C-alpha cells in the first residue's frame, strides 16, 4: 500500500509536468485550432532560459529563493519571446491557409528551435542543471510516502495554473474576448476585439506555464537537454486530448491521468510488459481507450467548440 | 458633410472582382438600403466597410475621415456597428454575455444601462438572459444580434439581412424595430433581400447587380420604379 | 504588348546585359574555388545560375508578360544573392577580396542595378497572370506532347545536377563522431549547391509569377500518358547518368521508397483528408515482416518466404493493423485521429524496440534490428546483388534495387490515380471538404474513411517490404515520429492530393538534408527554416491540385479570418 501511494504521488508529479505544458496546447488549439507542435520546444527553452539566468546572469551566492524566482522569470522571458516571434512570423501569415500548412510550419519551428539550442547554447550536452534544492530534501506526506520540494512545487504550480487560467478565461475582459475569438473570430472583430492580440495573449500565457514546467523539470532531473521538448510535447498534447482539447481543466486532469498511468504501468503491468521501456506505450493505449469511449475526451470540449 | 461616403469602391476575392466600383452616401439620421439578388455584392460591401475585407481600390470616408484600411476592431471604435449576415451570435455564451461583448469597444464603461435598454426593446431577451444564445430561436437570435450591435452605441448601424430565414411574424417585428430605431434618429445601412419592406422604410435605396450599382433613388421612387418592381418585387 | 522604355526599365535592361556578360568572364583568381570559376567563355558553377536568372530577368522586362514586375523582382533578387554570396566566398576562400576577379564584381553590380530597377518599377501595374495555351492548330497535340516530354527531361536534368554537385571535400571520414562546428570553409564547399538551390528557387518563382508554371501544368495535365511515359523514361535513364557510381543511386533508391510511402500517405491525407501522424508504423510493419520472413540470420524465425509472397503478406498484415486501429477511432474528429495515429506510431516503435526476448517476446531483435537481409533473386539466377553492364554503361548493383523502386512507385501511383478518379475517390474528396454534407448525400463516411485508412496502410506495408530489401535492415530507429512527420511534410510541401506533388515533395524532403551535409551540425537547423519558409511562400504546396489551388486563392483575401466562417450557427 505504501508503494502504491508513493507511485500515485510520483504519477501526479509526472502528470503535473505534462499538464502545465498541455495548458498551452489546449489554449492555442481552443482559439485557432492549431496543433502547435513547437510548444514542446517552448517548454525546453524555459528550462534553458532558467539555466542561462543561473549560470550567466546571477552572481554566485544569490539566496536560493531569489535565485529560483529570477530563474523562473528568465525562463519565462525566453519562452515568451520565442512564442511571440513564432506566432508573428511563422503562424500568423498562414491564417486562412490550408489546414495542414501550419502543421508543417510547426514541425519546421520545432526542428529549428531544437537545433538552435543544440548548436548555440554554450555548454556540453546534456547540460547539468543546478541542484538548488537538494533532492534528498523530502517532505513526508504521511504513511512513509514522500515528495521532494521541487516536485511539490510542480504539482502546486499545475493546479494553481489551471485554476487561475480558468478563472481568467471565464471572467476577465480579455478572457471573454478569448472565448469570443474561439467561437467566431470574424464576429469577434466586429465587437471591437483585436483578435491578433488575443491570439498572442494565448501564446504568451501558454509559454509562461511551459516555462514553469521547464524550470521544475530541470530542478527535478538535474539536467536539461535540447531534445527534451519533443517527447514532453507529444505527451502534453496527448494529455490535452485526453482531457478534451480546448478544455483548460481537462488539460491538467489529462496530464495527471497520463502521468499516473505511466508510473503505475511501469510498476504493475503484467510482465514482460512492465518496466520503463513500455511506459510510454501504456500511456497511448489508455489514450486510445479513452477516446473510443469518450470521443471528446474526459471533460469534452469547451473553449474550442464552435456551433 | 455626409456621415458615410463611399467612392468607387472595388473589392476582389483573389482574381475575382466582387465589387466593381460602387459609390454611395449615407447622411446622418437616414435609413439607406442596399438591395439586390444573391451574389450582387451586398454582404461584401458591408464586410469591407467594417474592415473584415480590404478594398483593392476606392475610398471610404466616415464623418469626414478616411475609413478604408482601418482594422475591423478599430472600425467599431470609430462608431460603426455591424450586425452580420446569419446573425453570428456567440452560441456558447449567454444572452447577457453576448450583449456585454457588444459593448467591448467601450472600454471601462459599464454596459448595465445599455443592456437594460436592449431588454426594454426586446423583453424576450430579458426572459432568456442567462440562457446560452445557441439555444434561442432564429428570431430571438436576430434580436440579440441587433441588440448586441446597439451595445456599442454606434453612429452608424449596419444590418445585414436581418429578416433572413425568419417567420412572417418575426419579420414584421424586426422591421418594426428598424422603423422604431429610425424614428429615434439612428442612422442605418440596411442590406435586404426583402426589397419591398426595405424600400418602404428607407430614405434612400441603392440597387446592386453583380458588383455594380445599377440604380439609386429615394425609397419611394425605387418602390414605384418599373424595373425594380419587375426584378426585385416579383411583379411582371 | 506595350514596350516600356522608361529609364527605370532601361536601367534593368542594362543590369541584365551586364550580369549576363559578366557570367562569361572569370570570377575568381583563386584556383581552389569549386565550380570552375576561372575560365572565360561558357560559364560553370554559380555563374550558370546567375546567367539563367539574368536572361530570365531580361526576357521578362522586354516581353512584358503578366506579372512582369513581380517576376522581375524574383529573378533579380536571387541573381544578386548568388553573385554576392559567391564573390564574398571567393574572397574568403582565397584569403582576400583581391582574389575576386572583375567578372564577379560586374555581376554583383549588374544584378544590383537589375534589383534596383525591379523595385523602382510599380508592381501594382502588373496585369493578372493567366494560363496560356497553344493555338488550336493541327500541331497543337504533338507540340504539347513534346513539351510534356521535355518537362520530364528537364526534371531529370535538374535532379541529376542537384545530386551530382559535390558538396564536401572534407576528408575527415564519413561520419563526424564529435560535434563539429560549421566553418566558412564548409560553406565554400557547399557554395555551388547553394547557388544551384537559389537559382532553382529564383527561376521557379519567376515562372510562377508570370503564369508559366500554371500554363505548363495545364499542358502536362492534359497529356497525362505522355507525362507518365516521360517520367518513366527519365527514371529509367537515371542510373545511366551516374557512370557506375553507387552514391546517387543509393540516395535515389531511398527517395523512391520515401516517395512510394508519400503517395500512399497521400491517399489518406490528400484524398480523404485524414491526418495520420503515425503512417511510418504501417510502413514499419511491412518492413519488419519482410525482415523476419526473408531468411535473415538475425531473425528469430527461420522461415524464408518468396519475395512476392512477402510483399502480399506484409501488405496484408499492415492492412489488418490499419483496420484494427481505424475501426474504433475513425469516428473521432480529425485532430483526435492525429494523436491516436501518433500514439500508434509510438507504440509500434516501443514494441519493436522491446520484442527482443528479454523485455518482451523474441521477435524483432530489439534495438539492433534485423540485419543481413539477403539479396533478392529472380527465377533464372538473376541476383539483385550483382553488378551489370548495359549499353556499355556500368551499373552497380544498387541500380537493380533502383529499378525495383521504379516498379514500386509506379504501382503505388497507378493505385492512387485509379482511386482518385473513382467513385470512391470522389466520395473521399466530399468527406474531406465537408463530412456532414457528404453524410447527408448518403455517403457512408465511417466505412469510406476506414477504407482510405486501410488502403493507405496496405500501400505503406507493401512499400515497407520492398524497403527492407533495399536497405537490408529493419531497425526501430527508422520508424520514429520524425519519419512520419517528414513523410507528411513531403505530401504537404509537394501539394496535397497530387502524384507529382508527392514525388517532388519526397525528393525535396529527402534530398535537401542529404545535400546540406556540408553544413554539418547546422543542417537540420537550415532544414527547419526551409520548411517554415516554404509553407509561408507556398502554403498550398509546390504542385497543388487544381481544385485546392482555386479554393486557396479565393480564400486569400479574407484578411485575418482565422478560418473560413463556419457555415451555420445553430
Amino acid at each position: 500500500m505504501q508503494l502504491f501511494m508513493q507511485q500515485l504521488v510520483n504519477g501526479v508529479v509526472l502528470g503535473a509536468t505534462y499538464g502545465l505544458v498541455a495548458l498551452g496546447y489546449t489554449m492555442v488549439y481552443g482559439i485557432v485550432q492549431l496543433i502547435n507542435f513547437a510548444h514542446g520546444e517552448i517548454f525546453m527553452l524555459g528550462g534553458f532560459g532558467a539555466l542561462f539566468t543561473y549560470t550567466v546572469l546571477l552572481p554566485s551566492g544569490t539566496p536560493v529563493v531569489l535565485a529560483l524566482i529570477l530563474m523562473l522569470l528568465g525562463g519565462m522571458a525566453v519562452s515568451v519571446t520565442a512564442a511571440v516571434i513564432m506566432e508573428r512570423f511563422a503562424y500568423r501569415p498562414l491564417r486562412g491557409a490550408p489546414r495542414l500548412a501550419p502543421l508543417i510550419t510547426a514541425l519546421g519551428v520545432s526542428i529549428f528551435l531544437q537545433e538552435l539550442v543544440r548548436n548555440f547554447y554554450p555548454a556540453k550536452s546534456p547540460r547539468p542543471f543546478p541542484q538548488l534544492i537538494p533532492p534528498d530534501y523530502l517532505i513526508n506526506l504521511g504513511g512513509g510516502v514522500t515528495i521532494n520540494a521541487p516536485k511539490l512545487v510542480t504539482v502546486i504550480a499545475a493546479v494553481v495554473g489551471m485554476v487561475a487560467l480558468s478563472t481568467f478565461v471565464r471572467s476577465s475582459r480579455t478572457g471573454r474576448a478569448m472565448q469570443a475569438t474561439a467561437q467566431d473570430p470574424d464576429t469577434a472583430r466586429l465587437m471591437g476585439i483585436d483578435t491578433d492580440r488575443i491570439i498572442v495573449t494565448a501564446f504568451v500565457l501558454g509559454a509562461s506555464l511551459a516555462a514553469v514546467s521547464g524550470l521544475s523539470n530541470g530542478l527535478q532531473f538535474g539536467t536539461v537537454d535540447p531534445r527534451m521538448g519533443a517527447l514532453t510535447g507529444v505527451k502534453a498534447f496527448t494529455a490535452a486530448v485526453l482531457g478534451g482539447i480546448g478544455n483548460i481543466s481537462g488539460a491538467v486532469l489529462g496530464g495527471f491521468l497520463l502521468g499516473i498511468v505511466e508510473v503505475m504501468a511501469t510498476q504493475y503491468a503484467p510482465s514482460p510488459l512492465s518496466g520503463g521501456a513500455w511506459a510510454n506505450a501504456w500511456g497511448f493505449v489508455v489514450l486510445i481507450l479513452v477516446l473510443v469511449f469518450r470521443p471528446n475526451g474526459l471533460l469534452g470540449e469547451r473553449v474550442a467548440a464552435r456551433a | 458633410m455626409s456621415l458615410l461616403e463611399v467612392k468607387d469602391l472595388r473589392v476582389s476575392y483573389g482574381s475575382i472582382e466582387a465589387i466593381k466600383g460602387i459609390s454611395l452616401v449615407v447622411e446622418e439620421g437616414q435609413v439607406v438600403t442596399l438591395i439586390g439578388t444573391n451574389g450582387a455584392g451586398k454582404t461584401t460591401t458591408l464586410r469591407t466597410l467594417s474592415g473584415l475585407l480590404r478594398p483593392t481600390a476606392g475610398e471610404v470616408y466616415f464623418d469626414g475621415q478616411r475609413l478604408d484600411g482601418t482594422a475591423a476592431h478599430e472600425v467599431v471604435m470609430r462608431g460603426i456597428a455591424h450586425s452580420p449576415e446569419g446573425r453570428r451570435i456567440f452560441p456558447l455564451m449567454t444572452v447577457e454575455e453576448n450583449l456585454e461583448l457588444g459593448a467591448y469597444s467601450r472600454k471601462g464603461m459599464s454596459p448595465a444601462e445599455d443592456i437594460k435598454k436592449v431588454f426594454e426593446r426586446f423583453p424576450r431577451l430579458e426572459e432568456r438572459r442567462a440562457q446560452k444564445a445557441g439555444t434561442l430561436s432564429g428570431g430571438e437570435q436576430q434580436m440579440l444580434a441587433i441588440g448586441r450591435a446597439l451595445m456599442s452605441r454606434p453612429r452608424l448601424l449596419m444590418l445585414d439581412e436581418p429578416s433572413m430565414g425568419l417567420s412572417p411574424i418575426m419579420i414584421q417585428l424586426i422591421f418594426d424595430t428598424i422603423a422604431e430605431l429610425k424614428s429615434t434618429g439612428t442612422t442605418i445601412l440596411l442590406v435586404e433581400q426583402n426589397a419591398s419592406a426595405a424600400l418602404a422604410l428607407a430614405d434612400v435605396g441603392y440597387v446592386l447587380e453583380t458588383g455594380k450599382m445599377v440604380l439609386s433613388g429615394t425609397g419611394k421612387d425605387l418602390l414605384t420604379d418599373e424595373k425594380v418592381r419587375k426584378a426585385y418585387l416579383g411583379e411582371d | 504588348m506595350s514596350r516600356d522604355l522608361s529609364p527605370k526599365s532601361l536601367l534593368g535592361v542594362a543590369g541584365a546585359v551586364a550580369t549576363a556578360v559578366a557570367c562569361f568572364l572569370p570570377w575568381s583568381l583563386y584556383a581552389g574555388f569549386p565550380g570552375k570559376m576561372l575560365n572565360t567563355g561558357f560559364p560553370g558553377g554559380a555563374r550558370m545560375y546567375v546567367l539563367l536568372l539574368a536572361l530570365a530577368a531580361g526576357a521578362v522586362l522586354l516581353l512584358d508578360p503578366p506579372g512582369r514586375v513581380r517576376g522581375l523582382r524574383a529573378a533579380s533578387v536571387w541573381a544578386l544573392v548568388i553573385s554576392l554570396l559567391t564573390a564574398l566566398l571567393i574572397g574568403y576562400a582565397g584569403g582576400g577580396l583581391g582574389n575576386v576577379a572583375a567578372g564577379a564584381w560586374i555581376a554583383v553590380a549588374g544584378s544590383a542595378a537589375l534589383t534596383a530597377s525591379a523595385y523602382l518599377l510599380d508592381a501594382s501595374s502588373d496585369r493578372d497572370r493567366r494560363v496560356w495555351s497553344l493555338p488550336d492548330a493541327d500541331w497543337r497535340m504533338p507540340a504539347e506532347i513534346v513539351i510534356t516530354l521535355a518537362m520530364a527531361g528537364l526534371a531529370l536534368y535538374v535532379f541529376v545536377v542537384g545530386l551530382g554537385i559535390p558538396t564536401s571535400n572534407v576528408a575527415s571520414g564519413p561520419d563526424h563522431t564529435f560535434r563539429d562546428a560549421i566553418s566558412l570553409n564548409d560553406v565554400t564547399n557547399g557554395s555551388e549547391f547553394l547557388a544551384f538551390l537559389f537559382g532553382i528557387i529564383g527561376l521557379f518563382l519567376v515562372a510562377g509569377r508570370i503564369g508559366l508554371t500554371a500554363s505548363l501544368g495545364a499542358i502536362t495535365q492534359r497529356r497525362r500518358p505522355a507525362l507518365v511515359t516521360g517520367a518513366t523514361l527519365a527514371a529509367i535513364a537515371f542510373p545511366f547518368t551516374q557512370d557506375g557510381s553507387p552514391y546517387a543511386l543509393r540516395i535515389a533508391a531511398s527517395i523512391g521508397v520515401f516517395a512510394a510511402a508519400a503517395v500512399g500517405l497521400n491517399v489518406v491525407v490528400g484524398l480523404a483528408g485524414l491526418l495520420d501522424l503515425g503512417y511510418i508504423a504501417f510502413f514499419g510493419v511491412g518492413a519488419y515482416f519482410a525482415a523476419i520472413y526473408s531468411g535473415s540470420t538475425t531473425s528469430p524465425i527461420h522461415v524464408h518466404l518468396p519475395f512476392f509472397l512477402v510483399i502480399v503478406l506484409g501488405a496484408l498484415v499492415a492492412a489488418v493493423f490499419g483496420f484494427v486501429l481505424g475501426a474504433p477511432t475513425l469516428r473521432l474528429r480529425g485532430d483526435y485521429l492525429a494523436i491516436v495515429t501518433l500514439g500508434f506510431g509510438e507504440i509500434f516503435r516501443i514494441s519493436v524496440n522491446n520484442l527482443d526476448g528479454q523485455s518482451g517476446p523474441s521477435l524483432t531483435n530489439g534495438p539492433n534490428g534485423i540485419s543481413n537481409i539477403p539479396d533478392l533473386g529472380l527465377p533464372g539466377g538473376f541476383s539483385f546483388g550483382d553488378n551489370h553492364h548495359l549499353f556499355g554503361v556500368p551499373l552497380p548493383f544498387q541500380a537493380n534495387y533502383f529499378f525495383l523502386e521504379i516498379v514500386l512507385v509506379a504501382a503505388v501511383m497507378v493505385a492512387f490515380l485509379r482511386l482518385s478518379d473513382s467513385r470512391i475517390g470522389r466520395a473521399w474528396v466530399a468527406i474531406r471538404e465537408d463530412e456532414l454534407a457528404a453524410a447527408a448525400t448518403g455517403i457512408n463516411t465511417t466505412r469510406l474513411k476506414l477504407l482510405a485508412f486501410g488502403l493507405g496502410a496496405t500501400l505503406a506495408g507493401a512499400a515497407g517490404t520492398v524497403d527492407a530489401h533495399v536497405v537490408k535492415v529493419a531497425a526501430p530507429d527508422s520508424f520514429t515520429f520524425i519519419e512520419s512527420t517528414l513523410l507528411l511534410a513531403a505530401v504537404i510541401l509537394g501539394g496535397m492530393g497530387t502524384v507529382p506533388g508527392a514525388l517532388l515533395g519526397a525528393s525535396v524532403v529527402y534530398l535537401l538534408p542529404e545535400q546540406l551535409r556540408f553544413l554539418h551540425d547546422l543542417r537540420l537547423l537550415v532544414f527547419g527554416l526551409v520548411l517554415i519558409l516554404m509553407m509561408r511562400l507556398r502554403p498550398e504546396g509546390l504542385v497543388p491540385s487544381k481544385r485546392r489551388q482555386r479554393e486557396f486563392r479565393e480564400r486569400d483575401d479574407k484578411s485575418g479570418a482565422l478560418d473560413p466562417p463556419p457555415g451555420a450557427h445553430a
Side-chain angles (χ1 to χ4, degrees), chain C residues 15-33:
Chain C
V17 171
T19 312
V21 169
C23 290
F24 291 87
L25 301 173
W27 278 24
S28 172
L29 302 173
Y30 157 67
F33 199 79

Side-chain angles (χ1 to χ4, degrees), chain C residues 416-451:
Chain C
F416 179 89
L417 290 174
R418 276 302 179 89
L419 285 169
S420 82
D421 285 344
S422 70
R423 222 174 89 88
I424 295 176
R426 283 190 295 276
W428 280 338
V429 173
I431 294 174
R432 185 187 74 197
E433 298 306 324
D434 188 339
E435 193 169 337
L436 269 180
T441 59
I443 294 171
N444 185 338
T445 55
T446 307
R447 193 191 295 168
L448 273 163
K449 284 191 327 191
L450 186 57
L451 187 63

Side-chain angles (χ1 to χ4, degrees), chain B:
Chain B
M1 188 174 54
S2 312
L3 185 61
L4 180 77
E5 196 173 354
V6 177
K7 288 180 185 166
D8 200 25
L9 189 73
R10 288 169 183 274
V11 187
S12 302
Y13 293 103
S15 55
I16 302 153
E17 194 167 52
I19 302 289
K20 298 161 184 159
I22 62 166
S23 303
L24 64 91
V25 175
V26 178
E27 302 291 347
E28 191 115 39
Q30 274 186 338
V31 170
V32 174
T33 185
L34 275 178
I35 59 173
T37 52
N38 258 337
K42 307 184 299 284
T43 295
T44 304
T45 307
L46 289 199
R47 286 174 69 85
T48 309
L49 293 179
S50 63
L52 290 175
L53 297 174
R54 274 182 201 290
T56 43
E59 291 160 23
V60 180
Y61 292 90
F62 183 69
D63 208 12
Q65 299 203 311
R66 193 76 182 253
L67 182 75
D68 50 299
T70 311
H73 63 272
E74 281 163 3
V75 169
V76 199
M77 318 265 177
R78 298 269 294 271
I80 300 183
H82 179 173
S83 163
E85 186 184 8
R87 309 184 278 268
R88 304 285 282 269
I89 43 95
F90 297 108
L92 302 179
M93 291 189 215
T94 65
V95 167
E96 202 158 2
E97 286 168 338
N98 264 278
L99 291 175
E100 281 167 15
L101 273 170
Y104 187 88
S105 58
R106 302 191 300 122
K107 204 175 174 174
M109 279 180 274
S110 162
E113 192 187 324
D114 296 79
I115 291 181
K116 219 175 96 195
K117 272 193 208 156
V118 171
F119 284 160
E120 276 163 20
R121 194 182 297 282
F122 303 113
R124 283 275 272 282
L125 291 182
E126 186 164 22
E127 293 164 25
R128 311 224 185 286
R129 63 192 300 166
Q131 202 172 316
K132 290 255 189 302
T135 63
L136 299 182
S137 76
E140 290 163 347
Q141 289 192 6
Q142 187 59 58
M143 294 177 201
L144 179 57
I146 295 176
R148 188 179 62 179
L150 288 171
M151 288 296 295
S152 67
R153 297 191 187 167
R155 297 187 56 197
L156 171 66
L157 175 64
M158 303 199 294
L159 300 175
D160 196 347
E161 305 272 15
S163 74
M164 191 171 70
L166 301 185
S167 69
I169 298 173
M170 274 300 167
I171 294 179
Q172 190 52 51
L173 191 137
I174 295 296
F175 275 104
D176 287 350
T177 304
I178 298 171
E180 205 182 296
L181 286 169
K182 180 187 177 183
S183 69
T184 57
T186 313
T187 313
I188 298 174
L189 179 55
L190 172 67
V191 158
E192 260 296 340
Q193 283 201 34
N194 190 340
S196 56
L199 288 173
L201 252 170
D203 297 298
V204 179
Y206 291 89
V207 182
L208 265 177
E209 227 168 63
T210 58
K212 285 190 196 117
M213 205 69 96
V214 290
L215 216 59
S216 65
T218 63
K220 261 197 208 106
D221 287 351
L222 288 180
L223 209 47
T224 53
D225 184 284
E226 200 173 321
K227 268 198 299 186
V228 174
R229 297 187 74 86
K230 268 192 181 164
Y232 302 104
L233 303 180
E235 296 180 9
D236 40 25

Side-chain angles (χ1 to χ4, degrees), chain C residues 168-356:
Chain C
S168 170
N169 58 10
V170 189
S172 57
D175 277 311
H176 301 271
T177 44
F178 55 92
R179 193 185 114 88
D180 50 349
I182 182 173
S183 67
L184 265 171
N185 201 21
D186 298 318
V187 179
T188 306
N189 287 325
S191 70
E192 194 181 348
F193 181 73
L194 284 184
F196 163 80
L197 197 63
F198 293 163
I200 294 290
I201 294 173
L203 290 170
F204 193 79
L205 284 177
V206 177
R209 288 181 179 179
I210 64 173
L212 198 59
T213 317
S215 311
L216 288 172
I219 290 176
T220 51
Q221 281 295 316
R222 261 200 304 280
R223 302 292 160 219
R224 203 185 253 174
L227 181 64
V228 172
T229 315
T232 313
L233 286 177
I236 293 176
F238 175 70
F240 296 94
T241 63
Q242 292 301 311
D243 207 23
S245 147
Y247 167 73
L249 277 173
R250 214 169 40 227
I251 294 180
S254 304
I255 293 178
V257 175
F258 199 70
V263 176
L265 179 59
N266 215 348
V267 173
V268 184
V269 177
L271 289 184
L274 305 170
L275 181 50
D276 189 342
L277 291 178
Y279 193 70
I280 200 73
F282 300 114
F283 185 86
V285 168
Y288 263 98
F289 186 87
I292 292 171
Y293 291 103
S294 293
S296 159
T297 47
T298 50
S299 163
I301 296 172
H302 303 287
V303 176
H304 192 167
L305 298 176
F307 181 51
F308 78 92
L309 202 58
V310 164
I311 295 184
V312 173
L313 290 178
L316 275 180
V317 174
V320 169
F321 273 98
F323 282 111
V324 167
L325 182 70
T329 52
L330 281 168
R331 303 180 293 129
L332 304 177
R333 41 175 294 167
D335 295 326
Y336 281 34
L337 182 67
I339 187 73
V340 169
T341 49
L342 191 161
F344 171 66
E346 282 300 294
I347 293 174
F348 174 78
R349 189 183 59 81
I350 294 166
S351 301
V352 293
N353 229 328
N354 288 297
L355 295 175
D356 56 359

